[in-house]
Amino acid sequence: MAISTAEGTDQFSGAQRPLYEVKANLFKGLAHPVRVRVLEVLSAADSVSVTDLLADTGLEASHLSQHLSVLRRHNLVVAERRSSQMFYRLAYPEVANLLTVARSLLVKILETTQQQLVSTVNLPEIVSSDGDDGRVT
Amino acid sequence: MAISTAEGTDQFSGAQRPLYEVKANLFKGLAHPVRVRVLEVLSAADSVSVTDLLADTGLEASHLSQHLSVLRRHNLVVAERRSSQMFYRLAYPEVANLLTVARSLLVKILETTQQQLVSTVNLPEIVSSDGDDGRVT
DNA sequence: TTAGGAATTGATGAATTCATCATATCGACA
DNA sequence: TGTCGATATGATGAATTCATCAATTCCTAA
């Protein structure tokens, strides 16, 4: 097909990558519930420790870590060590914008398809730790 | 993990799907260069025929069709038959917004990571048909 | 009423992503 | 300096997505 994939799959593989490939790759980075959840949590707080994220998501540490690694690789988050813990935050406020706009679109779509939105409050097994008021982001 | 996947992978599988899963699923629908490209083309025109999309992308018909099917399943586009041809358009203008916001984020990211944006004009094998001036969307 | 163009569907192997487990690194502090 | 808590990395099989090819449906016009 016309759309080359020869230059690699991240967004750093040389100058000649078409925008739509880079864009698709960005969406790939967002295309997992755990990663979306993490970004939502980070959108609502300046900086969150991995420990807190573990509590929030109920994930196994290595599993979360892999998803954080994906988010880092996509330059969506940045990590910083503070003494013994790692803290993550959004790399750019625009990441939160993207989630917000995605949500608006979803509202439209779900309205039309007769679905009801469910806030994150009633969700199975997401342990709500302090600071998380369950608001829909 | 805490995040259930038992309810299916589209956005229609019952009311109890957490927002972050639905959102992740939306991003999955966008996570392919062909689909992004198609949405970009549709963002710039009211309605485009499959024939034109074929010319634009250089894809094999069945391949394009599968991606169009994904976009339909995700409610991102709607199809309409006009005599012998199928015409596609964005299901909601918000779809275009999402692409625009994604682009802004990408500009930020690529600025930081020293990458240069490349317009779609110089891309290999994308046949530029009438109406497509190669502008970056 | 059938031939042909336009588009979709189905099937298949290849490639990618995911979840899980085991192991490794890094830093604080005893 | 050795050990423990915190996090990351590596390896593996399972699941999903992709690309390609063949077959099918739908429409139009001869």
Side-chain angles (χ1 to χ4, degrees):
Chain A
M1 74 170 293
I3 297 178
S4 95
T5 50
E7 303 225 27
T9 66
D10 63 11
Q11 51 225 182
F12 316 112
S13 311
Q16 291 306 82
R17 288 190 94 205
L19 185 58
Y20 55 78
E21 274 190 23
V22 181
K23 245 187 232 177
N25 195 53
L26 166 63
F27 290 130
K28 249 187 228 180
L30 299 165
H32 192 288
V34 169
R35 297 197 290 271
V36 170
R37 182 77 175 112
V38 167
L39 292 178
E40 283 178 349
V41 171
L42 296 184
S43 294
D46 265 7
S47 177
V48 179
S49 70
V50 173
T51 303
D52 284 353
L53 287 173
L54 281 172
D56 263 7
T57 59
L59 292 174
E60 195 200 344
S62 74
H63 196 190
L64 210 216
S65 205
Q66 306 227 44
H67 284 294
L68 289 173
S69 160
V70 172
L71 291 174
R72 264 185 276 122
R73 202 151 20 83
H74 284 263
N75 293 285
L76 294 170
V77 303
V78 294
E80 175 201 4
R81 180 178 291 280
R82 290 214 280 273
S83 100
S84 69
Q85 284 186 304
M86 293 293 295
F87 287 78
Y88 280 81
R89 58 184 171 79
L90 297 186
Y92 308 90
E94 283 83 358
V95 176
N97 294 349
L98 190 58
L99 291 179
T100 301
V101 174
R103 184 176 194 285
S104 318
L105 172 56
L106 243 19
V107 169
K108 280 281 189 180
I109 292 178
L110 296 176
E111 262 172 21
T112 308
T113 58
Q114 322 291 346
Q115 287 298 116
Q116 40 176 323
L117 272 184
V118 181
S119 88
T120 49
V121 196
N122 340 309
L123 299 178
E125 280 203 54
I126 295 284
V127 177
S128 185
S129 66
D130 55 302
D132 182 353
D133 56 8
R135 114 186 54 93
V136 175
T137 55
Chain B
M1 72 170 296
I3 297 177
S4 95
T5 50
E7 303 223 29
T9 66
D10 64 10
Q11 53 227 177
F12 316 111
S13 312
Q16 291 306 81
R17 287 191 93 205
L19 185 57
Y20 55 78
E21 272 189 25
V22 181
K23 244 186 235 177
N25 194 53
L26 166 63
F27 289 130
K28 247 187 231 181
L30 299 165
H32 192 288
V34 169
R35 297 197 291 270
V36 170
R37 181 77 176 112
V38 167
L39 293 178
E40 283 178 349
V41 171
L42 296 184
S43 294
D46 266 6
S47 178
V48 179
S49 70
V50 172
T51 302
D52 284 353
L53 287 174
L54 282 171
D56 263 6
T57 59
L59 292 174
E60 194 201 343
S62 74
H63 196 190
L64 209 216
S65 206
Q66 307 228 42
H67 285 294
L68 289 173
S69 160
V70 172
L71 291 174
R72 265 184 276 122
R73 204 152 18 84
H74 284 265
N75 293 286
L76 294 171
V77 303
V78 295
E80 175 201 4
R81 180 179 291 279
R82 290 214 280 273
S83 100
S84 70
Q85 285 187 301
M86 293 294 296
F87 286 79
Y88 279 81
R89 57 183 171 79
L90 297 187
Y92 308 91
E94 283 83 357
V95 176
N97 294 349
L98 189 58
L99 291 178
T100 300
V101 174
R103 184 177 194 284
S104 316
L105 172 56
L106 242 20
V107 169
K108 279 280 189 180
I109 292 177
L110 296 176
E111 262 173 20
T112 308
T113 58
Q114 323 289 345
Q115 287 300 116
Q116 39 175 326
L117 272 184
V118 181
S119 87
T120 49
V121 196
N122 338 311
L123 300 178
E125 278 202 57
I126 295 284
V127 177
S128 184
S129 67
D130 56 303
D132 183 354
D133 56 8
R135 111 187 56 91
V136 175
T137 54

